[in-house]
Amino acid sequence: MIKKMIFASLAIGLLTTSCSSDDDASTPPVVIPTSTLSLNFNGLSNLGDNLVYEGWIMVDGAPKTTGTFTVNDAGVASKTTFDIPTADLDAATAFVLSLEPASDSDPLPSVTKILSGGFTANAASLVINDQVGVFNSTTTPFSGSFITATPTDNTGGVDNGNDDQGVWFIDMPGPVPSLINLPTLSAGWKYEGWVVFNNGTEDVPLSMGKFTSATGVDSASPYSGNETAPSFPGEDFVNSLPTGIDGVVTGKTIVISVEPDVEGSSDTKPFFFKPMNGIEGVSSNAVSLVDNINVTVTGTATR
């Protein structure tokens, strides 16, 4: 009996010693101090279900994410404050806003960036100039126009008499480019031409294809004929048209949008950057720079 009690006492002592050792070996979790980054935007719009906005701070020349958010139809962001490691936020030299696929797993920003600005003290003024393009230039003001013609439907060089079913950004004789001083876009963005038709129920914008230059063919010809197209942006609306669309461009609104070149962007309607438009039959078919997106799309980042 005495031996059993001694062994029991030893066992309890060993157990107590072991538990005490485990407690002493544990370390408290490391707490990383954070600070708040506050964002405020003007002019951002709903990106739909496939894209999100993502913020980035530049720290030692490398981007570090500040988080993603969306914007509703009223232009209100789903989130405007973000907790960021204090050391990173204090060392940040600039803030950049990009467009990303909603299901993106890439830890780096896409090439399609929309706003940026350097920190001065604790605030950064965000503009599109460096990330999209300069649309408020006074030294090289933009001007443009278009003609109505259907060169891809002139079988064997014979005019089929349906020139009211095509829009081309060219001047004649020539042809020569009609988009003068077209603002140069940054990487990640492209222009896209549209004609806004109506099917009897609603407006239906149809794409003329994407482009980056006033010369050279655009990226698509979904409704054109089989003949060779001019080497300029434009489209004939003579084939494969949606139900209720006759392809006649008379009196229709012509739009040039600036589109994000990123996975998940819509190809059925213009992006909310629509800086240029005109109406067929009005002012010699002029297309004007009517929406100065350098002014309407801005923001601030405050730390």
Side-chain angles (χ1 to χ4, degrees), residues 135 272-277 288-294 296:
F135 289 85
F272 68 87
F273 284 172
K274 297 184 283 289
M276 308 171 203
N277 68 39
S288 303
L289 186 60
V290 296
D291 184 7
N292 184 355
I293 55 179
N294 291 86
T296 58

Side-chain angles (χ1 to χ4, degrees), residues 72-126:
N72 65 18
D73 290 337
V76 178
S78 61
K79 189 175 181 180
T80 58
T81 59
F82 300 83
D83 292 331
I84 311 299
T86 300
D88 288 341
L89 195 55
D90 287 348
T93 56
F95 177 87
V96 179
L97 186 67
S98 68
L99 304 186
E100 306 289 337
S103 57
D104 185 35
S105 59
D106 190 342
L108 296 176
S110 74
V111 70
T112 306
K113 301 174 183 67
I114 186 169
L115 290 167
S116 68
F119 280 104
T120 299
N122 290 326
S125 295
L126 310 177

Side-chain angles (χ1 to χ4, degrees), residues 105-285:
S105 59
D106 190 342
L108 296 176
S110 74
V111 70
T112 306
K113 301 174 183 67
I114 186 169
L115 290 167
S116 68
F119 280 104
T120 299
N122 290 326
S125 295
L126 310 177
V127 294
I128 73 167
N129 297 51
D130 294 334
Q131 303 302 337
V132 182
V134 178
F135 289 85
N136 57 355
S137 174
T138 56
T139 57
T140 54
F142 168 80
S143 65
S145 61
F146 57 89
I147 66 168
T148 56
T150 54
T152 70
D153 195 45
N154 293 339
T155 306
V158 178
D159 191 338
N160 287 333
N162 58 352
D163 284 348
D164 60 354
Q165 289 184 238
V167 171
W168 293 87
F169 294 106
I170 57 178
D171 277 335
M172 298 297 289
V176 294
S178 65
L179 301 178
I180 308 302
N181 294 327
L182 187 71
T184 300
L185 297 179
S186 300
W189 297 93
K190 292 184 178 180
Y191 289 108
E192 187 164 6
W194 306 81
V195 177
V196 183
F197 294 96
N198 191 285
N199 62 9
T201 302
E202 61 182 350
D203 287 340
V204 180
L206 295 186
S207 173
M208 291 188 277
K210 295 180 180 179
F211 60 97
T212 56
S213 171
T215 59
V217 296
D218 53 41
S219 64
S221 54
Y223 310 108
S224 287
N226 297 321
E227 300 300 313
T228 302
S231 296
F232 298 89
E235 183 71 9
D236 291 343
F237 296 93
V238 295
N239 286 320
S240 305
L241 294 170
T243 301
I245 304 297
D246 61 9
V248 175
V249 302
T250 304
K252 301 298 190 297
T253 297
I254 313 301
V255 176
I256 301 178
S257 65
V258 178
E259 300 287 325
D261 188 22
V262 61
E263 179 185 352
S265 58
S266 173
D267 58 0
T268 60
K269 63 180 180 180
F271 191 66
F272 68 87
F273 284 172
K274 297 184 283 289
M276 308 171 203
N277 68 39
I279 299 176
E280 193 283 327
V282 177
S283 300
S284 300
N285 290 346

